[in-house]
Amino acid sequence: MSNFVYIVPQPYCLEVESHKRLEAIKTNRCKVTHLLYIVDLKIYASSENNLERVMRTVKGGMDCIGSRWNEKKCVVVHVKRGCVKQTENMEIDELKSIKSLGEESTYKFLGVLENSKQEDKLVLENASKEYLRRLAIIWSSPLSDHSRVVATNQYALPVLSYLMWTQTWPLAQLQQVDREARKIIVEFGGKHPQGSTAILYMSRKCGGRGLRSVETIYKEIKIKAAMKLYYNPDPSMEAVRLFEEKSVRGGRHSAIKDARRYAEELGLHLKLEYPEPMCVTDDGKEVNGKKVKGCIAKARQEEVRAKVKEEKWQGKMICNRWEDVHLEQGDCFAWLSCWKAAPTHVVVGIQELYQQLLPRKVFYHRKVGTSGSGEERCRMCGKATESVPHILAGCGALAQTLYLARHNNALKILFFQVIRALDLVTSEVPWFSKIQPKPMYENERAIAYWDIPLYADNTHLKANRIDATIVDKENKKVSVIEMSCPWVENREEKDAEKTTKYGPLRWELEQRYPEYRVTQFNIIVDVLGGYSRDVRKALKELVGDKSDTIALQIQKSVITSSLNIARRFKLLK
């Protein structure tokens, strides 16, 4: 008969004089400091009598160092020939006893439910329920989208990831947990029902949501655990390593085989050699085992990006962003990674536009297949096909209303910042403010015009209405600022059109201000917030070090206005 007792002692601390340093004690190549303290303890014995004797010995030793048993959390398990045997409670003194565990009962050791062995299925079931419960709390809360994602990854997911280092779970069950998690997110408005799963798990800097999948975390942990077995010199880790290697030689299930298989799925090859394991990438680069975490994360993102590229409908526009050579790639999705307070409904709405899931006639006819008549003309203007490009940038019925409001709301952010630097106004205006600029501002240093036509003295001007003009008297500069919010694919074309269109006007300004340098700045930000490197240079010249902040504010203004336009179409019947 095999007997063991599970003990939960109360933690103790070592009191050390403030002027002395607690030195580490080297024992069997391991460092023991005051950070090593008793949390959970198991005692094994061959019989009940031996178990009682060992328990008293351990209890006496613990009393000497200031630890005490918490008998309410302790249990005794009697195992005979592999089966749990129910017995009476074990008395440790006249007033206290330890409960005896039955065959159907379990105890928790280091967070894992056990009986005569670890209950892997029960552990996964209980941990999954708690994970989904926390997920529902997070996504039903009033937190911003960024905070919800962070809370999901750092508060809900660790319920499962803590156990993954020692548990072996079927991938099918982990995939089911991921599906249940996505159902909860959809239920509370965090994702479109037909939205891309790959984009949900992609980095926010690349246009995704930044969530982490239970299945992928499990695979990553198994890879890291295998690497740790080979670079950790601890004697207990050596014993585990030898056991796993013996399992591989015997053809049995092994954590090492699982780690190698999961690494190959990411295009990585593990060289597990003690004491310096290596990870080799597809291009032949070798990464030290202790730095494999970054290599895995990079390979995982490449895998997700490949899945997005395979999605011809939901992933098309995001892939076009990645392939646009003129786009400022680092700032294209800054609204996702830098706008920490963005509400979830805003992020989900913009993702619907990127994934072409806006409920319009083209979507119903070509994607869903529920449009019986096959009519695709716009419900507002009745002229062109009702597609996302037409709704956001090509509908004539919205040109002088919602499109103009989007244009002005974005440009005024830059305009107010420029005239603030010239002391034409005394305070900054928030990007979401409804305050509109006055037609003219003037002081001794500069003159600023907002949407005022220029009447030429020397030539005939067909295009004489400038969005904003800044005359800097001190530096002898005239800045002509033109703003436009075209469709994604028309950004470069619109930039060239603006430059050509206002060429005669620039010549007229040069004649009017002969000693001044006249420069035209084209701020072309597409309807989804993307802009080129030339726009970044223009902002840098206009507002200096505040260019990053102004660019982000303009981007937020444009995408929220585009979302407002899209919602108008949702209300149409």
Side-chain angles (χ1 to χ4, degrees):
M1 178 181 290
S2 175
N3 305 271
F4 66 91
V5 62
Y6 164 58
I7 300 172
V8 180
Q10 296 178 354
Y12 67 92
C13 61
L14 299 176
E15 295 184 359
V16 185
E17 297 182 12
S18 58
H19 65 278
K20 292 183 178 181
R21 178 181 179 184
L22 184 64
E23 297 181 355
I25 305 171
K26 295 184 178 180
T27 307
N28 294 331
R29 296 178 294 169
C30 298
K31 292 184 178 180
V32 181
T33 68
H34 66 285
L35 297 178
L36 180 64
Y37 61 92
I38 301 173
V39 178
D40 291 348
L41 177 66
K42 280 187 181 180
I43 300 174
Y44 290 88
S46 58
S47 65
E48 294 186 31
N49 293 333
N50 289 341
L51 182 61
E52 291 182 7
R53 184 169 60 254
V54 174
M55 285 174 58
R56 292 190 180 94
T57 302
V58 172
K59 185 176 184 300
M62 292 176 63
D63 290 340
C64 293
I65 62 174
S67 289
R68 290 179 176 81
W69 285 8
N70 185 354
E71 66 280 352
K72 295 181 180 179
K73 294 185 177 181
C74 297
V75 293
V76 177
V77 182
H78 300 280
V79 182
K80 185 176 182 180
R81 296 179 180 177
C83 298
V84 177
K85 180 183 177 182
Q86 180 76 45
T87 61
E88 297 181 355
N89 296 343
M90 179 173 288
E91 303 291 336
I92 56 176
D93 55 35
E94 296 179 357
L95 301 177
K96 299 179 180 179
S97 63
I98 298 178
K99 177 183 176 182
S100 178
L101 203 67
E103 185 176 358
E104 301 297 330
S105 304
T106 58
Y107 65 94
K108 186 177 288 187
F109 182 70
L110 295 177
V112 180
L113 295 175
E114 300 182 11
N115 193 298
S116 58
K117 61 180 181 179
Q118 289 189 353
E119 302 290 343
D120 289 358
K121 293 183 179 179
L122 187 58
V123 169
L124 176 58
E125 181 181 348
N126 292 344
S128 299
K129 289 181 179 178
E130 177 62 18
Y131 167 66
L132 297 176
R133 186 189 71 83
R134 294 189 181 189
L135 203 66
I137 293 174
I138 292 169
W139 287 91
S140 62
S141 69
L143 293 172
S144 67
D145 188 74
H146 178 270
S147 298
R148 288 183 180 186
V149 171
V150 171
T152 300
N153 293 340
Q154 298 184 5
Y155 172 66
L157 194 57
V159 174
L160 288 164
S161 61
Y162 168 77
L163 303 167
M164 291 176 181
W165 292 90
T166 58
Q167 300 296 295
T168 302
W169 292 332
L171 293 182
Q173 295 186 18
L174 298 181
Q175 292 167 358
Q176 180 61 30
V177 174
D178 278 329
R179 284 192 288 270
E180 295 297 329
R182 290 194 294 270
K183 288 181 182 178
I184 292 175
I185 295 174
V186 170
E187 179 183 355
F188 291 106
K191 175 182 175 292
H192 192 280
Q194 294 180 315
S196 168
T197 300
I199 293 176
L200 189 69
Y201 296 125
M202 190 168 59
S203 168
R204 294 177 81 92
K205 292 182 179 180
C206 298
R209 298 291 292 281
L211 286 169
R212 308 191 71 186
S213 165
V214 174
E215 180 189 2
T216 57
I217 290 297
Y218 177 80
K219 293 179 178 179
E220 291 173 10
I221 285 178
K222 291 305 178 184
I223 297 173
K224 290 186 283 187
M227 300 296 280
K228 193 169 186 178
L229 280 177
Y230 280 86
Y231 70 71
N232 194 319
D234 189 276
S236 58
M237 298 293 280
E238 182 180 4
V240 176
R241 182 173 67 251
L242 295 176
F243 175 81
E244 294 293 340
E245 290 175 346
K246 185 176 179 180
S247 298
V248 173
R249 292 193 297 268
R252 298 187 298 275
H253 178 269
S254 170
I256 295 176
K257 290 196 295 186
D258 287 346
R260 283 187 171 136
R261 184 172 71 254
Y262 298 150
E264 288 174 359
E265 292 177 3
L266 298 175
L268 305 176
H269 306 279
L270 302 184
K271 295 174 63 176
L272 300 177
E273 298 177 357
Y274 181 81
E276 294 184 359
M278 305 294 289
C279 176
V280 184
T281 61
D282 281 339
D283 56 3
K285 181 181 178 181
E286 293 187 349
V287 181
N288 186 275
K290 295 182 179 180
K291 299 179 180 180
V292 73
K293 181 178 179 181
C295 185
I296 294 174
K298 183 178 180 180
R300 178 66 64 190
Q301 286 303 311
E302 291 297 327
E303 181 189 42
V304 173
R305 286 170 69 104
K307 290 181 180 179
V308 174
K309 291 179 180 179
E310 293 175 358
E311 298 176 350
K312 301 303 181 183
W313 187 278
Q314 288 95 329
K316 179 180 178 181
M317 291 183 62
I318 289 184
C319 291
N320 290 342
R321 289 294 211 195
W322 298 338
E323 297 168 0
D324 192 339
V325 295
H326 301 287
L327 192 68
E328 185 69 26
Q329 296 287 346
D331 298 330
C332 180
F333 299 106
W335 62 275
L336 267 173
S337 56
C338 300
W339 190 7
K340 309 293 186 182
T344 297
H345 66 84
V346 172
V347 176
V348 174
I350 301 300
Q351 288 283 353
E352 285 182 14
L353 298 178
Y354 266 107
Q355 298 180 39
Q356 305 183 83
L357 299 175
L358 183 67
R360 62 201 188 282
K361 289 189 175 182
V362 172
F363 174 74
Y364 286 128
H365 183 224
R366 302 185 186 179
K367 179 65 176 176
V368 182
T370 58
S371 179
S373 63
E375 176 60 49
E376 297 182 356
R377 286 186 298 178
C378 177
R379 289 167 287 177
M380 294 287 286
C381 65
K383 297 179 181 179
T385 301
E386 191 178 279
S387 60
V388 172
H390 174 76
I391 291 172
L392 297 183
C395 184
L398 303 177
Q400 296 302 319
T401 54
L402 298 180
Y403 293 171
L404 181 61
R406 176 177 61 193
H407 168 279
N408 291 342
N409 289 336
L411 179 59
K412 74 178 184 182
I413 297 171
L414 174 61
F415 182 74
F416 276 126
Q417 184 62 44
V418 172
I419 65 175
R420 174 69 180 86
L422 297 172
D423 297 327
L424 292 170
V425 292
T426 57
S427 60
E428 296 183 1
V429 179
W431 69 271
F432 50 83
S433 174
K434 295 183 179 180
I435 298 175
Q436 293 297 322
K438 295 187 296 184
M440 187 178 72
Y441 296 85
E442 184 176 7
N443 63 9
E444 296 179 353
R445 295 180 55 190
I447 305 175
Y449 301 99
W450 170 266
D451 194 25
I452 289 187
L454 175 67
Y455 297 101
D457 298 330
N458 302 294
T459 185
H460 175 69
L461 296 180
K462 293 182 179 180
N464 67 338
R465 198 175 192 93
I466 312 171
D467 288 339
T469 307
I470 310 295
V471 181
D472 188 346
K473 301 177 184 178
E474 289 186 347
N475 298 314
K476 295 187 179 298
K477 294 191 305 183
V478 178
S479 300
V480 177
I481 304 175
E482 273 295 316
M483 177 82 188
S484 184
C485 299
W487 175 241
V488 175
E489 298 172 354
N490 300 335
R491 195 176 54 251
E492 300 303 318
E493 179 183 344
K494 180 61 69 172
D495 186 24
E497 177 188 328
K498 288 282 186 182
T499 303
T500 304
K501 179 179 179 180
Y502 291 100
L505 187 141
R506 293 195 303 273
W507 182 84
E508 177 64 26
L509 288 174
E510 290 173 356
Q511 302 304 312
R512 185 171 297 186
Y513 301 98
E515 297 181 359
Y516 286 60
R517 180 169 59 90
V518 179
T519 308
Q520 180 176 340
F521 298 96
N522 295 331
I523 311 301
I524 312 299
V525 181
D526 63 50
V527 294
L528 295 179
Y531 53 86
S532 65
R533 299 180 183 89
D534 293 335
V535 173
R536 173 46 65 91
K537 294 178 181 178
L539 292 176
K540 185 74 173 178
E541 187 172 347
L542 286 169
V543 296
D545 295 337
K546 294 186 177 181
S547 60
D548 292 342
T549 303
I550 298 303
L552 178 59
Q553 291 180 357
I554 292 175
Q555 190 178 61
K556 291 191 290 186
S557 177
V558 170
I559 62 175
T560 51
S561 297
S562 296
L563 182 58
N564 181 45
I565 295 170
R567 285 173 176 164
R568 294 294 182 95
F569 276 81
K570 286 186 176 182
L571 300 176
L572 297 177
K573 295 182 180 181

